Amino acid sequence: MTTIRLHNTLSRQKELFEPLDPSNVRMYVCGPTVYDRAHLGNARPVVVFDVLFRLLRHVYPGAVTYARNFTDVDDKINAKAAETGRPIRDITDETIGWYHADMDALGNLRPTFEPRATEYIGAMIAMIQTLIDKGHAYEVAGHVLFKVRSYPEYGRLSGRSVDDMIAGARVEVAPYKDDPMDFVLWKPSDASLPGWESPWGRGRPGWHIECSAMSFELLGASFDIHGGGIDLQFPHHENEIAQSCCALGADFARVWMHNEMLLVEGKKMSKSLGNFFTVRDLLDQGVPGEVIRYVMLMTHYRSPMDWTERKAREAEGKLLSYWRTLHRYAPGYVPDAKKASGKLLDALCDDLNTHLALVALDAEHKFAETSGQAEQLADDMALLGFMNFRGPIEPEAEWLWGPAQHLNVLSARLEAMRAEALTTKDFAPVDTLKSALLAAGVEVRMSKTGVELVPGPGFDPAKLEGL
RNA sequence: GGCGGGUUGGCGGAGAGGUUACGCAGCGGAUUGCAAAUCCGUGUAGACCGGUUCGAUUCCGGUACCCGCCUCCA
């Protein structure tokens, strides 16, 4: 049995992963608030936990449940609705559609469950009522607040004490709070805002209770892994723990995993710095989803990841050389993630060391080039989620992007010209055509056995016109 | 101010108390009409100052710098 080791934020160390129930391994990851396109930083946890999902499915076949929510009730959504005059449901439906399209484009599997918060309001109200009944929450001025002092373990995940937090607090405290640390479980909605009837009047849930309620409904009071960005560690995850543990009296999540943040050219992505962009922006610029995925995996998930143009180019070069190898040496092969190499699995099982996983890919690539056997490379790429980007593996001669079909014609012509030049010793016409092809971003390879033309990075079909 | 993380060769980025990381770029070679692709070989590290140790880039302490969270911008 393969053993997985994962870094647990709770213990701050790598632990042997032992599922509560090996026949149903359960993972919850905090999903997006759906009011706008996902930016690149939003994609990092999706890719990270997609790799974990794939690894878990490999080790526990058919026994993994993965839930990732959509927060579709939120003041940012309300603000957008007020701004545009559009119904909230239109906005959230559209944004969810975008999210699916963008995350699919990065090769991510859909989770088992993708609950929408608005479909679990009843569960949230029930949980809040339980917290009140147990003395962990109180109602005041139409709000229900969680009483942080009633949960002595509060701060365990983020490693802070309640007193430290109060001392360092810079936020104005709402006057109705008993204690500055208390946070909202339920808040009142006026007629202009979305709201649901509750024992405390018409209102809407606080953000944190959503994940507690949905994870309980879908995965139970205790489950194996809870993931999300490290920015959620406090207060979101701390509050989830307080709510779930106090309401349910159970362990809640056993392993907490947090991915580090994303930088762009060394700086935090922000609108004010002008380096803010969405996944869709990159895709529209022609950066392939697989390249984005590869760049995400180049850095370990617990280190900050820097998105740079240079890395994207390096990733594209790598992937192109892998694809070329697959098409040359494994045409017709149907990749099977279940046959991933031990080296790849060892890397992933060691707290998702995706960088060493890519090193394993390199080793398989080199093996394929020297042995002519590329099946293992295909299988390894499949486990990492790279094999659904370009369809089946065709013989290399047929492996061309749609707009590049007539490279076949050019390739035949170049070969004929070269054959003639080899006898006449006049290479000028050959070089002219070759230069034009290179200028269009086509890789030109001539060997004694023939001529091959392959679209390279920066391939521009328009420049082939007239050749 | 409080809490946490980081600093590795031109660039990216790992592991390991002592033995080659690896990749990209560079350089040399094979190959090539010239190239490309591929293969082979190769140089360059461990922020700074101390400590532990036979031996530290790897453990401990301090300094500097960077970053994140504490503010429902992930």
Side-chain angles (χ1 to χ4, degrees):
Chain A
M1 180 59 143
T2 313
T3 56
I4 301 177
R5 284 157 51 79
L6 298 173
H7 179 92
N8 190 346
T9 307
L10 278 173
S11 64
R12 271 142 249 267
Q13 54 192 345
K14 285 189 206 172
E15 299 174 351
L16 185 64
F17 177 65
E18 295 176 288
L20 291 161
D21 174 5
S23 71
N24 184 19
V25 180
R26 288 157 289 164
M27 172 164 78
Y28 186 92
V29 174
C30 292
T33 298
V34 284
Y35 70 103
D36 208 351
R37 283 275 186 192
H39 65 239
L40 194 61
N42 293 314
R44 168 117 107 141
V46 179
V47 173
V48 164
F49 291 104
D50 180 67
V51 171
L52 180 56
F53 182 36
R54 289 170 185 272
L55 174 65
L56 291 170
R57 294 195 322 165
H58 182 273
V59 177
Y60 305 94
V64 183
T65 304
Y66 172 24
R68 186 183 62 212
N69 69 291
F70 286 115
T71 293
D72 60 350
V73 49
D74 181 274
D75 286 347
K76 283 196 291 283
I77 302 171
N78 300 337
K80 183 151 184 175
E83 221 173 88
T84 59
R86 296 174 60 195
I88 281 174
R89 184 78 189 194
D90 273 14
I91 294 171
T92 56
D93 282 352
E94 178 183 58
T95 310
I96 286 171
W98 287 341
Y99 190 80
H100 276 145
D102 295 348
M103 296 309 133
D104 290 353
L106 302 190
N108 298 301
L109 299 169
R110 298 279 179 94
T112 320
F113 299 115
E114 296 187 280
R116 295 174 69 133
T118 50
E119 289 164 5
Y120 290 82
I121 301 290
M124 295 173 205
I125 291 174
M127 188 175 263
I128 294 169
Q129 188 60 56
T130 302
L131 288 169
I132 294 174
D133 294 345
K134 289 188 172 182
H136 291 293
Y138 56 95
E139 181 191 0
V140 55
H143 294 71
V144 181
L145 296 168
F146 186 91
K147 195 183 295 182
V148 167
R149 298 278 183 186
S150 75
Y151 181 57
E153 299 274 284
Y154 192 84
R156 184 170 156 235
L157 180 71
S158 52
R160 349 176 158 211
S161 77
V162 173
D163 293 325
D164 283 349
M165 286 185 265
I166 291 172
R170 292 198 231 154
V171 204
E172 262 186 63
V173 178
Y176 48 78
K177 288 188 180 180
D178 283 3
D179 185 284
M181 290 311 297
D182 294 349
F183 58 89
V184 170
L185 298 171
W186 188 262
K187 49 192 167 187
S189 294
D190 64 29
S192 72
L193 292 172
W196 291 262
E197 291 307 323
S198 79
W200 321 287
R202 184 173 175 279
R204 57 197 197 281
W207 173 40
H208 312 298
I209 196 70
E210 296 176 12
C211 288
S212 283
M214 287 187 275
S215 63
F216 171 59
E217 291 291 316
L218 294 169
L219 304 179
S222 293
F223 54 93
D224 298 296
I225 298 170
H226 191 129
I230 196 165
D231 52 305
L232 299 179
Q233 183 187 6
F234 186 90
H236 184 54
H237 291 161
E238 199 73 74
N239 292 354
E240 270 188 66
I241 291 172
Q243 293 161 342
S244 293
C245 290
C246 289
L248 305 170
D251 286 349
F252 197 39
R254 301 272 295 263
V255 180
W256 283 83
M257 295 178 68
H258 293 98
N259 62 278
E260 255 291 351
M261 298 291 95
L262 178 127
L263 306 171
V264 174
E265 305 288 349
K267 290 182 176 151
K268 183 180 174 174
M269 184 163 72
S270 73
K271 286 174 180 165
S272 57
L273 283 172
N275 63 352
F276 182 96
F277 53 86
T278 65
V279 172
R280 181 52 49 184
D281 290 336
L282 280 182
L283 294 170
D284 286 347
Q285 285 162 26
V287 180
E290 59 187 320
V291 168
I292 299 172
R293 185 178 185 85
Y294 190 100
V295 172
M296 292 276 180
L297 299 185
M298 285 171 81
T299 304
H300 186 82
Y301 75 93
R302 281 191 287 112
S303 296
M305 195 220 95
D306 196 7
W307 173 273
T308 62
E309 300 254 351
R310 185 169 177 156
K311 270 191 194 171
R313 278 200 304 276
E314 187 175 328
E316 183 165 15
K318 278 280 173 207
L319 286 163
L320 280 173
S321 73
Y322 293 171
W323 285 111
R324 186 161 46 231
T325 298
L326 293 179
H327 288 278
R328 180 179 296 166
Y329 297 119
Y333 181 67
V334 178
D336 183 358
K338 289 195 286 297
K339 295 180 186 164
S341 70
K343 202 170 177 178
L344 179 77
L345 286 168
D346 285 349
L348 293 180
C349 285
D350 183 13
D351 192 33
L352 242 46
N353 194 331
T354 53
H355 187 271
L356 284 185
L358 296 179
V359 169
L361 233 50
D362 253 330
E364 295 304 343
H365 175 239
K366 180 158 286 188
F367 173 79
E369 282 293 336
T370 50
S371 70
Q373 297 170 267
E375 288 79 8
Q376 188 67 68
L377 174 62
D379 295 337
D380 282 6
M381 287 177 75
L383 184 63
L384 287 174
F386 283 115
M387 285 313 293
N388 290 318
F389 284 100
R390 291 170 191 255
I393 304 174
E394 307 286 357
E396 188 177 34
E398 295 167 27
W399 171 56
L400 294 172
W401 280 267
Q405 285 299 337
H406 64 301
L407 281 181
N408 280 326
V409 179
L410 293 167
S411 156
R413 193 195 320 160
L414 185 63
E415 187 160 357
M417 290 169 75
R418 177 164 167 271
E420 190 185 333
L422 283 171
T423 57
T424 65
K425 299 297 171 197
D426 176 14
F427 289 98
V430 182
D431 286 337
T432 303
L433 180 55
K434 195 176 82 173
S435 301
L437 288 165
L438 291 172
V442 178
E443 289 179 7
V444 180
R445 293 198 295 278
M446 300 186 212
S447 63
K448 50 254 130 202
T449 53
V451 171
E452 291 177 88
L453 300 182
V454 178
F459 173 60
D460 181 1
K463 291 188 179 164
L464 293 178
E465 299 298 324
L467 289 182

